[in-house]
Amino acid sequence: AVSHVGAQGLAQFMPGTSAWIAGLYPALATNQPYNPSWALRALVQYDAWIHARVSAATPCDRMAKVLSSYNGGLGWVQRDEALAKRKGLNAAAWWGHVETVNAGRSAANRRENRDYPRRILQRLEPAYVAAGWGAGSCQ
């Protein structure tokens, strides 16, 4: 699968991100975004890398920041945190704080990026928890 913006494979990595991950982790050196096994391993490594670099007020805020970073880039979340802080908001809180500012994305990118954590954590996670697949981050 290739998205309309060029994201590739099951994990929908942009080519530059895929190449970067392949260079960072020797086990992923083959850079095969269209290989589902490679893509899932790369996705887990990338999310763990982001998770280690994000701080937040709660586990739910942290997971929202990780998901936003996965969707649109950690740099954007960091710029949004800085803008939130300048506006007197809590940069450690995603919901109602960092999510409300935009450090420069286009309107379409901002809508997609803000809906991504909301869709996963507020709409889908409750169903996963109800199915017994874990406690979730925001429950």
Side-chain angles (χ1 to χ4, degrees):
V2 179
S3 77
H4 68 282
V5 296
Q8 303 172 332
L10 181 65
Q12 289 291 283
F13 286 120
M14 293 301 286
T17 304
S18 177
W20 173 78
I21 292 169
L24 190 61
Y25 298 101
L28 300 171
T30 56
N31 191 11
Q32 299 176 314
Y34 296 107
N35 175 328
S37 177
W38 184 95
L40 287 174
R41 288 181 294 139
L43 170 62
V44 169
Q45 287 291 335
Y46 185 47
D47 283 349
W49 184 89
I50 295 168
H51 192 271
R53 286 156 180 80
V54 169
S55 61
T58 69
C60 184
D61 288 309
R62 187 174 194 180
M63 186 54 66
K65 286 182 177 186
V66 169
L67 290 167
S68 179
S69 296
Y70 171 75
N71 177 263
L74 178 58
W76 279 113
V77 170
Q78 291 169 333
R79 287 188 285 275
D80 288 342
E81 288 172 329
L83 179 57
K85 188 174 182 177
R86 287 193 304 274
K87 290 184 171 232
L89 299 169
N90 182 353
W94 174 261
W95 307 107
H97 294 268
V98 175
E99 74 162 332
T100 67
V101 302
N102 180 13
R105 286 177 205 77
S106 70
N109 287 342
R110 182 177 188 273
R111 271 191 308 276
E112 178 187 338
N113 185 259
R114 293 313 191 249
D115 187 54
Y116 190 72
R118 188 174 295 111
R119 184 173 13 136
I120 293 170
L121 297 173
Q122 294 179 346
R123 295 183 207 140
L124 299 176
E125 184 178 88
Y128 298 152
V129 171
W133 295 350
S137 299
C138 296
Q139 298 299 306

